[in-house]
């Protein structure tokens, strides 16, 4: 009975995985088609001739390396800024009871309801006032601001689940507040920190509306804004669009490979005490 249940669950798991992977397989097959096959009617699911050179040609069809560099810089910098602000805020609210603490945490949660699309006009005006339009700093600050509430919330839950006795033992050994935080609390809370890093990096990597609004120079635009330029009113390079889209997925997949083991613990942080 146990073996049958295991086989059934494994089969269901593979079926669900296949459903989620099908769009990516379709992207791969489209990226490997020659240009004349993309406009054929009726179309075919698999390429009749596999054009592996499309993945090499896309780098010369557009400055893809430059767009990739911008996305990496913005995502990494936004993640660092978010962590620098979220860690002390979450730690303080988890370890101290102060007037307005509940209202502050509620406000942090409520800010997650606002999408960048709804605030894009105000964001653009603010960037103009700060003379930050068409700069990477604008993208870094906006992405950090929008991801900060979630990171504060999840890290607050994780810090709250860590027993105070661990830090008190460090105090008895002569460690200060900062020493207890860096040597005891942060190592224990690593899954929560990793979850915040992954969430922030992916959210910044996928951001489109603000990047499209506040940047205009090609050398300051991330991949999310650059990829749609393969399909315009006058040309439709669908094979390059899907090839570039698959290339854009690679950094996120690499990140998941390195941090996957920490994610489950981080996502369930604070659920039990």
């Amino acid at each position: 009975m146990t073996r049958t249940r295991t086989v059934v669950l494994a089969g269901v798991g593979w079926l669900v995985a296949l459903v989620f992977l099908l769009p990516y397989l379709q992207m791969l097959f489209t990226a490997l088609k020659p240009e004349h096959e993309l406009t054929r009617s009726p179309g075919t699911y698999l390429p009749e001739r596999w054009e592996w050179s499309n993945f090499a040609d896309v780098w010369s069809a557009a400055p893809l390396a430059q767009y990739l560099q911008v996305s990496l810089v913005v995502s990494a910098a936004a993640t660092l800024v978010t962590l620098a602000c979220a860690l002390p805020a979450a730690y303080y609210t988890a370890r101290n009871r102060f007037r307005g603490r509940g209202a502050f945490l509620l406000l942090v949660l409520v800010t997650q309801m606002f999408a960048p699309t709804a605030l894009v006009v105000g964001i653009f005006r603010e960037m103009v006032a700060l003379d930050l339009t068409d700069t990477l700093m604008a993208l870094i600050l906006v992405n950090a601001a929008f991801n900060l509430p979630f990171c504060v919330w999840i890290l607050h839950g994780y810090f709250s689940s860590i027993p105070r006795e661990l830090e008190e033992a460090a105090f008895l050994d002569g460690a200060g507040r900062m020493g207890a935080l860096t040597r005891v609390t942060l190592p224990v809370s690593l899954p929560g920190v990793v979850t915040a890093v992954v969430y922030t990096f992916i959210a910044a990597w996928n951001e489109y509306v603000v990047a499209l609004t506040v940047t205009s120079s090609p050398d300051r635009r991330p991949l999310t804004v650059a990829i749609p330029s393969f399909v315009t009113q006058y040309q439709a390079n669908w094979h390059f669009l899907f090839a570039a889209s698959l290339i854009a997925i690679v950094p996120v997949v690499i990140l998941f490979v390195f941090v996957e083991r920490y994610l489950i613990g981080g996502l369930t942080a604070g659920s039990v005490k």
Side-chain angles (χ1 to χ4, degrees):
M1 183 64 181
T2 303
R3 181 177 177 81
T4 303
R5 182 172 179 270
T6 301
V7 172
V8 171
L9 290 177
V12 172
W14 280 107
L15 181 61
V16 172
L18 180 61
V19 170
F20 281 99
L21 287 174
L22 278 177
Y24 298 99
L25 290 175
Q26 181 61 69
M27 290 171 61
L28 176 62
F29 296 148
T30 305
L32 292 174
K33 287 183 178 181
E35 190 172 359
H36 68 273
E37 287 189 29
L38 296 171
T39 56
R40 180 182 299 174
S41 181
T44 57
Y45 190 75
L46 294 175
E48 293 183 2
R49 189 180 66 175
W50 298 77
E51 289 284 351
W52 294 97
S53 61
N54 286 342
F55 282 95
D57 295 340
V58 69
W59 294 93
S60 56
L64 201 63
Q66 180 177 290
Y67 298 142
L68 184 62
Q69 180 182 0
V70 171
S71 290
L72 286 172
V73 169
V74 170
S75 301
T79 301
L80 291 176
V81 172
T82 302
L83 279 184
C85 297
L87 282 172
Y91 180 75
Y92 186 85
T93 55
R95 286 292 183 256
N96 296 277
R97 301 284 177 176
F98 56 90
R99 181 175 297 180
R101 176 175 175 268
F104 171 77
L105 292 174
L106 179 62
L107 179 63
V108 168
L109 187 61
V110 168
T111 55
Q112 286 294 101
M113 299 170 58
F114 299 99
T117 308
L119 303 175
V120 69
V121 175
I123 291 172
F124 180 75
R125 294 184 63 181
E126 191 169 336
M127 293 301 109
V128 170
L130 296 174
D131 195 24
L132 290 177
T133 54
D134 202 24
T135 64
L136 297 187
M137 182 59 67
L139 299 180
I140 293 170
L141 293 177
V142 172
N143 279 293
F146 274 103
N147 292 299
L148 182 60
F150 175 83
C151 291
V152 170
W153 187 264
I154 195 170
L155 289 174
H156 166 83
Y158 208 97
F159 287 146
S160 298
S161 68
I162 298 175
R164 293 175 179 266
E165 288 76 11
L166 292 177
E167 294 180 357
E168 292 172 355
F171 295 153
L172 292 175
D173 290 338
R177 175 67 67 179
M178 185 59 66
L181 173 62
T182 56
R183 297 177 185 178
V184 178
T185 308
L186 281 182
V188 175
S189 62
L190 186 59
V193 175
V194 169
T195 302
V197 168
V198 171
Y199 175 87
T200 304
F201 185 90
I202 294 178
W205 184 267
N206 292 332
E207 201 285 317
Y208 173 76
V209 175
V210 174
L212 179 65
T213 304
V214 303
T215 60
S216 57
S217 301
D219 59 338
R220 293 181 178 86
R221 290 200 152 180
L223 268 174
T224 51
V225 178
I227 287 176
S229 64
F230 286 110
V231 177
T232 64
Q233 181 180 356
Y234 304 103
Q235 61 177 359
N237 297 315
W238 291 105
H239 52 310
F240 287 154
L241 183 143
F242 284 106
S245 299
L246 288 172
I247 291 172
I249 297 172
V250 173
V252 177
V253 173
I254 293 174
L255 178 64
F256 264 99
V257 168
F258 282 104
V259 303
E260 181 270 338
R261 57 177 177 169
Y262 299 106
L263 285 180
I264 299 300
L267 291 173
T268 58
S271 58
V272 295
K273 290 188 179 181

